[in-house]
């Protein structure tokens, strides 16, 4: 059907670009009511950028042919990645070229000062990433007060990348009466919730097919050994011969490694990952678009929205995380009605995950082994008369006229010495030498047997392994790496799998010795393993068959020496002799009583003692008359007071002097007893033990000799001279008088 009319200026741009028929999503957007919010779900590569560009024309221009002035932007487009934002900006440039629109891109990695100057000069449409747009809004460089429409491209990817907070901030800064267009590959719950919050009565458009995969993409699953992924990538690139190829890896380090490996083999390759600057990433994509590079190795940063026109092959060197990643990676090819191929390199241990992923995405992939070197050479011969001949005939070196007399003369001499067929074969050989040589790869056909029989190589049901138990026959192999070379199973097992082209499922027990290591390998993989080891280029590694290691030997002990007898007549004995040779406890002779009359058994109770003999355990009889029992309490003698009875107080006030007073010591008989704690009579003058002697001079009035050392060093008990000063006192102090007036 012809392209529906949207706006005269945009219709002319589409005609010049060669757009004759709209895609389903473009047709659905153009048929929607003008000015209404849209929630669109469409497959990748379906022309969503042109779709929302056409939908914005009526909102931004109305009936005007061109934009009138330059001021605050009237439209804002938000994309998840720098590459996608720059691509959207490029698409809108040619679509709005005849309207006089000024479009400014604001992405990370670019100079923010240049972007701020462009915004200050005025523009109509701003395209950017969430982080950089929020930065400009917070700094006041981006004014959204005049925005009439906001577009969220690949909204699901922006939410997955953690931009929800930035999106909320930007949408809150835009006017509430704006028009909001939301485009997403899938309509998950978070996308629907975002639409309900920031859209007003949005029209939902879904052009995706629920049960059918992308019809222009052919999926192929290729079986590879885990250690031959790079070799398989080389052969796949050589076999399909696509003008442009995109190889996906999961990490930046893997991208750098694959890029260097393919470049060494002669491929024109560029790398693309998040660690590159924006200029380097733009140069890599431009080299792929211009044909200067044939292969691009990238992380998932290139999985969304990128439009590479001649990209006919996508290789998943590492399996994507989920179904959405698989669909977005594969969607870089098969765009705008062109055919493409998506190849998954599947190792033996990842087969089950890939099958589940393909089934959930309703994708039917063709399983096969990797292209061999023979297949690639046969295809080269088959294409020699077609593609290769066309390349040669289209080469400017052959079709350009030659006016150089010297070159023509050399050509005549060459024809005289060689036939035209030889010269043509040499020319073809020169062209083919520019192509990388194919690699010898191994087809792990165990997966094919599992798919055919429904059982694994051990005859078990084809289900994911729950443990590492091995079954069937195993063979022992020896490798010349032991404890002397710090052998450790953590790196020894990957080494064995790499040089032997096997997986860890084929390896059994591993026993490490001083100078070697023995390990088990399944009988089915033994021949293949030894053949791969024989052709391996690993230096210093020697692998050969071995016998099973015997039981662990007993270490030598000092008890191994034979005992030495006193005179050589002592019999030898084995200290480690088996105790089972001794007679059992049940075989010992039973106990018998001793012989002889009258002899008693040691355990028999003694007879009763003879008459008059007391039993040692019998209680003694009562003592004889007049004898006291030792345990009977003695009676107090007559007239003697009990020691514990309190004495009676005397009737008189004065206490009688006892014969003996233990608390006062010995006193004279008849003297009145005084208690040491009774206070002395206060009428008698009391002398204090610390008072001065009676013959000493009386203390001066006011002196208190018991108050410590007197002032001036005077002591009451010391001798004094005629002046009243202590004898022998030092001369008076001649310095500054004290504050109390003493010298």
């Amino acid at each position: 059907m012809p392209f529906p009319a949207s706006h005269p200026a945009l219709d002319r741009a589409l005609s010049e670009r060669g757009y004759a028929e709209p895609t389903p999503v473009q047709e659905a957007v153009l048929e929607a009511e003008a000015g209404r919010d849209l929630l669109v779900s469409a497959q990748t590569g379906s022309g969503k950028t042109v779709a929302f560009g056409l939908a914005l024309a009526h909102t931004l221009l109305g009936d005007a042919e061109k934009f009138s002035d330059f001021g605050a932007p009237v439209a804002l487009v938000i994309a998840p990645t720098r590459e996608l934002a720059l691509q959207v900006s490029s698409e809108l440039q040619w679509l709005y070229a005849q309207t006089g629109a000024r479009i400014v891109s604001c992405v990370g990695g670019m100079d923010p000062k240049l972007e701020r100057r462009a915004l200050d000069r005025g523009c109509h449409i701003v395209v950017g990433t969430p982080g950089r747009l929020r930065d400009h809004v917070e700094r006041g460089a981006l004014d959204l007060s005049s925005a009439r429409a906001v577009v969220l491209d690949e909204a699901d990817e922006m939410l997955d990348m953690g931009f929800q907070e930035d999106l909320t901030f930007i949408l809150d800064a835009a006017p509430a009466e704006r028009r909001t267009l939301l485009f997403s590959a899938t309509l998950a719950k978070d996308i629907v919730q975002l639409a309900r919050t920031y859209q007003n009565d949005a029209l939902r458009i879904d052009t995706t097919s629920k049960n059918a995969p992308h019809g222009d993409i052919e999926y192929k699953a290729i079986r590879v050994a885990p250690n031959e992924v790079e070799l398989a990538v080389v052969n796949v690139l050589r076999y399909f011969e696509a003008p442009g190829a995109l190889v996906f890896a999961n990490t930046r380090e893997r991208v750098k490694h694959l890029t260097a490996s393919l470049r060494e083999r002669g491929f024109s390759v560029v790398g693309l990952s998040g660690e590159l600057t924006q200029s380097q990433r733009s140069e890599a994509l431009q080299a792929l678009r211009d044909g200067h590079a044939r292969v691009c190795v990238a992380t998932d940063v290139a999985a969304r929205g990128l439009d590479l026109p001649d990209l006919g092959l996508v290789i998943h060197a590492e399996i994507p995380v989920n179904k959405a990643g698989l669909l977005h990676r594969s969607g870089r090819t098969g765009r705008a009605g062109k055919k493409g191929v998506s190849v998954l390199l599947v190792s033996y241990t990842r087969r089950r995950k890939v099958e589940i992923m393909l089934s959930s995405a309703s994708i039917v992939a063709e399983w096969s082994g990797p292209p061999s070197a023979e297949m690639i050479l046969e295809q080269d011969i088959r294409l020699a008369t077609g593609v290769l001949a066309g390349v040669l005939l289209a080469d400017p070196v052959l079709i350009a006229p030659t006016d150089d007399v010297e070159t023509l003369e050399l050509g005549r001499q060459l024809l005289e010495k060689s036939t035209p067929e030889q010269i043509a074969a040499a020319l073809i050989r020169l062209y083919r030498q520019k192509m990388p040589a194919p690699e010898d790869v191994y087809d792990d056909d165990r997966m094919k047997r599992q798919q055919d029989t429904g059982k694994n190589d051990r005859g078990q049901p084809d289900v994911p392994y729950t443990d590492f138990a091995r079954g069937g026959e195993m063979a022992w192999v020896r490798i010349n790496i032991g404890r002397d070379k710090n052998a450790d199973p953590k790196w020894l097992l990957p080494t064995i799998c790499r040089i032997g082209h096997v997986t860890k499922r084929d390896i059994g027990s591993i026993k490490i010795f001083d100078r070697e290591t023995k390990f088990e390998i399944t009988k089915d993989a033994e021949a293949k393993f030894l053949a791969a080891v024989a052709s391996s280029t690993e230096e210093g590694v020697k692998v050969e068959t071995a016998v099973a290691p015997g039981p662990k030997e007993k270490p030598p002990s000092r008890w191994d020496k034979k005992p030495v007898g006193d005179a050589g007549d002592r019999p030898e004995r084995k200290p480690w002799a088996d105790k089972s040779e001794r007679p059992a406890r049940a075989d010992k002779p039973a106990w018998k009583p001793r012989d002889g009359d009258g002899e008693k058994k040691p355990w028999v109770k003694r007879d009763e003692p003879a008459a008059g003999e007391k039993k040692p355990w019998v209680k003694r009889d009562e003592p004889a008359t007049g004898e006291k029992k030792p345990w009977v309490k003695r009676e107090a003698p007559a007239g003697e007071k009990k020691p514990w009875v309190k004495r009676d107080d005397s009737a008189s006030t004065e206490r009688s002097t006892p014969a003996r007073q233990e608390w006062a010591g010995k006193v004279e008989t008849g003297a009145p007893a005084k208690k040491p704690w009774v206070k002395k009579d206060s009428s008698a003058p009391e002398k204090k033990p610390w008072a001065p002697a009676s013959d000493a001079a009386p203390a001066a009035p006011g002196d208190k000799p018991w108050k410590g050392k007197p002032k001036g060093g005077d002591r009451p008990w010391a001798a004094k001279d005629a002046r009243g000063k202590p004898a022998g006192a030092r001369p008076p102090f001649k310095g500054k008088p004290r504050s109390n007036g003493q010298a």
Side-chain angles (χ1 to χ4, degrees):
M1 62 174 290
F3 218 102
S6 58
H7 189 275
L10 272 64
D11 292 341
R12 292 192 296 270
L14 291 172
S15 301
E16 295 176 0
R17 200 75 174 182
Y19 281 79
E21 296 182 359
T23 62
V25 63
Q26 294 169 357
E27 182 180 357
V29 168
L30 290 175
E31 292 177 354
E33 182 181 352
R36 189 174 179 181
D37 291 355
L38 300 178
L39 176 60
V40 183
S41 175
Q43 287 182 341
T44 179
S46 57
K48 290 181 291 184
T49 304
V50 175
F52 66 72
L54 296 175
L56 292 176
H58 183 271
T59 304
L60 303 182
L61 291 170
D63 297 332
E65 182 72 16
K66 294 184 178 182
F67 288 99
S68 58
D69 54 353
F70 302 97
V74 294
L76 178 67
V77 181
I78 310 175
T81 61
R82 310 174 192 174
E83 288 75 21
L84 182 56
L86 295 177
Q87 178 178 300
V88 170
S89 178
S90 177
E91 290 288 315
L92 295 179
Q93 289 282 0
W94 66 261
L95 184 61
Y96 281 84
Q98 300 185 23
T99 62
R102 180 177 292 178
I103 301 174
V104 175
S105 59
C106 300
V107 298
M110 294 296 187
D111 189 357
K113 296 180 180 179
L114 298 179
E115 296 175 352
R116 192 175 299 113
R117 293 172 187 170
L119 293 173
D120 293 340
R121 288 193 296 266
C123 59
H124 301 104
I125 302 174
V126 175
V127 183
T129 52
R132 180 56 64 89
L133 290 175
R134 178 176 181 176
D135 182 66
H136 285 309
V137 172
E138 290 177 341
R139 295 176 182 272
L142 179 58
D143 182 14
L144 298 179
S145 59
S146 302
R148 305 174 195 168
V150 176
V151 180
L152 277 68
D153 193 11
E154 301 287 354
D156 56 343
E157 178 69 5
M158 285 190 284
L159 294 182
D160 292 341
M161 296 173 66
F163 288 132
Q164 183 171 3
E165 183 179 353
D166 296 336
L167 291 177
T168 302
F169 178 85
I170 296 171
L171 292 175
D172 290 339
E177 61 276 6
R178 69 182 183 274
R179 185 185 183 191
T180 305
L181 308 181
L182 195 151
F183 287 76
S184 176
T186 58
L187 295 181
K189 293 182 179 179
D190 50 357
I191 299 297
V192 176
Q193 182 63 33
L194 184 68
R196 291 175 181 174
T197 306
Y198 293 100
Q199 285 188 315
N200 183 20
D201 190 22
L203 175 63
R204 185 165 179 171
I205 299 175
D206 190 359
T207 61
T208 59
S209 178
K210 300 297 182 182
N211 299 321
H214 201 301
D216 294 331
I217 301 177
E218 180 184 2
Y219 287 88
K220 293 182 178 295
I222 294 181
R223 304 181 295 265
V224 296
N227 59 323
E228 293 185 348
V229 174
E230 294 181 15
L231 307 182
V233 170
V234 173
N235 283 15
V236 169
L237 290 173
R238 285 282 285 107
Y239 183 79
F240 287 96
E241 292 293 342
L246 191 58
V247 182
F248 280 102
N250 292 339
T251 61
R252 301 175 181 178
E253 292 297 326
R254 188 62 172 168
V255 167
K256 292 193 295 186
H257 180 76
L258 274 175
T259 302
S261 178
L262 295 176
R263 185 175 290 117
E264 289 177 358
R265 286 176 167 85
F267 288 96
S268 55
V269 58
V270 292
L272 183 63
S273 63
E275 66 179 355
L276 302 179
T277 63
Q278 185 57 46
S279 59
Q280 292 174 332
R281 294 162 73 169
S282 301
E283 291 175 1
L285 291 176
Q286 193 60 36
L288 197 63
R289 293 188 179 100
D290 297 341
H292 299 302
R294 178 192 166 197
V295 183
C296 177
V297 183
T299 57
D300 284 341
V301 71
R304 289 276 184 159
L306 292 183
D307 185 18
L308 302 172
D310 295 329
L311 191 68
L313 177 63
V314 171
I315 301 176
H316 305 270
E318 292 181 322
I319 303 302
V321 178
N322 48 30
K323 176 186 71 174
L326 173 64
L327 294 176
H328 286 292
R329 283 182 176 185
S330 303
R332 298 313 97 211
T333 185
R335 301 174 70 88
K338 297 182 180 179
K339 300 296 182 180
V341 180
S342 178
V343 177
L344 293 91
L345 302 181
V346 187
S347 63
Y348 178 76
T349 57
R350 309 285 285 178
R351 180 187 64 86
R352 173 64 68 179
K353 179 181 179 180
V354 172
E355 287 182 344
I356 295 174
M357 190 183 302
L358 293 175
S359 176
S360 62
S362 302
I363 296 175
V364 179
E366 178 185 352
W367 286 83
S368 64
S372 61
E374 293 76 11
M375 296 171 59
I376 296 174
L377 294 177
E378 290 177 1
Q379 180 175 264
D380 289 346
I381 297 174
R382 188 168 57 254
L383 296 177
T385 57
V387 178
L388 187 58
V391 171
L392 286 173
L393 295 177
D395 196 315
V397 177
L398 295 178
I399 62 178
T402 304
D403 298 334
D404 190 355
V405 179
E406 183 178 357
T407 303
L408 293 174
E409 182 62 28
L410 290 175
R412 294 190 189 95
Q413 295 179 7
L414 187 61
L415 287 173
E416 293 176 358
K417 297 181 179 180
S418 303
T419 61
E421 291 79 5
Q422 293 177 344
I423 297 175
L427 184 60
I428 294 174
R429 194 182 305 114
L430 289 176
Y431 269 86
R432 293 177 64 177
Q433 285 179 355
K434 298 179 182 179
M435 300 180 182
E439 300 285 348
D440 293 328
V441 292
Y442 167 73
D443 182 8
D444 196 352
D445 58 349
R446 288 177 293 181
M447 286 186 278
K448 184 177 184 301
R449 295 199 302 267
Q450 291 179 19
Q451 294 167 351
D452 295 341
T453 62
K455 296 182 178 181
N456 57 24
D457 53 350
R458 296 173 182 82
Q460 301 170 346
D462 189 15
V463 295
Y465 285 95
T466 57
D467 53 27
F468 289 92
R470 275 85 176 168
E473 296 186 33
M474 307 291 287
W476 284 94
V477 182
R478 176 171 55 198
I479 186 172
N480 62 336
I481 299 176
R483 295 192 189 95
D484 57 343
K485 297 181 180 178
N486 299 326
D488 186 87
K490 293 181 180 179
W491 61 264
L492 192 59
L493 181 60
T495 302
I496 294 172
C497 295
R498 185 181 70 253
I499 64 177
H501 296 180
V502 294
T503 64
K504 63 182 180 181
R505 300 288 181 184
D506 299 317
I507 307 299
S509 301
I510 299 178
K511 296 184 179 296
I512 301 176
F513 300 95
D514 291 338
R515 293 179 176 83
E516 65 179 6
T517 297
K518 294 183 179 181
F519 57 91
E520 287 182 316
I521 190 169
T522 58
K523 280 287 187 181
D524 296 338
E526 180 184 9
K528 179 191 69 174
F529 176 80
L530 295 177
V533 169
S535 60
S536 176
T537 59
E538 196 85 12
E539 296 182 359
V541 178
K542 182 180 179 182
V543 181
E544 58 186 1
T545 57
V547 296
K552 189 175 182 181
E553 298 180 358
K554 182 181 178 181
S557 174
R558 62 188 181 93
W559 300 107
D560 294 340
K561 298 180 180 180
K562 297 181 179 180
V564 181
D566 297 336
D569 55 350
R570 184 176 178 180
E572 296 182 357
R573 72 174 180 219
K574 300 179 180 179
W576 59 86
D578 192 359
K579 294 183 179 180
S580 61
E581 298 177 2
R582 301 177 183 177
R585 187 178 298 274
D587 298 335
K588 292 183 179 180
W591 182 89
K592 294 181 180 181
R594 297 178 182 177
D595 298 334
D597 296 335
E599 185 177 358
K600 297 178 180 179
K601 301 177 182 179
W603 51 270
V604 178
K605 188 177 181 181
R606 294 182 180 180
D607 298 335
E608 295 297 327
E613 182 180 356
K614 294 182 179 180
K615 300 178 182 179
W617 50 270
V618 178
K619 187 178 181 182
R620 293 182 180 179
D621 298 335
E622 295 296 329
T625 305
E627 182 180 356
K628 293 182 179 181
K629 299 178 182 179
W631 50 270
V632 178
K633 186 177 182 182
R634 295 181 180 179
E635 295 179 358
E640 183 179 356
K641 292 183 179 180
K642 299 179 181 179
W644 50 269
V645 177
K646 187 176 182 182
R647 296 177 181 177
D648 296 335
D649 294 335
S650 177
S652 60
T653 55
E654 293 184 0
R655 183 175 295 181
S656 60
T657 303
R660 186 177 183 180
Q661 296 181 6
E662 295 180 359
W663 48 267
K666 294 182 179 180
V667 297
E668 295 181 0
T669 305
K674 294 181 180 180
K675 297 180 181 179
W677 48 268
V678 177
K679 188 176 182 181
K680 293 182 179 181
D681 191 2
S682 59
S683 60
E686 182 178 358
K687 293 182 180 181
K688 299 179 180 180
W690 39 263
S694 59
D695 54 349
D703 289 345
K704 295 181 179 180
W706 62 89
K707 289 289 185 176
K709 184 178 179 181
K711 297 180 181 179
D714 190 9
R715 295 181 176 87
W717 58 85
K720 297 181 180 180
D721 55 8
R723 296 179 300 172
K725 300 293 183 178
R730 59 186 178 181
F733 182 70
K734 296 181 180 182
K736 185 179 179 180
R738 297 181 180 177
S739 60
N740 57 4
Q742 295 181 359

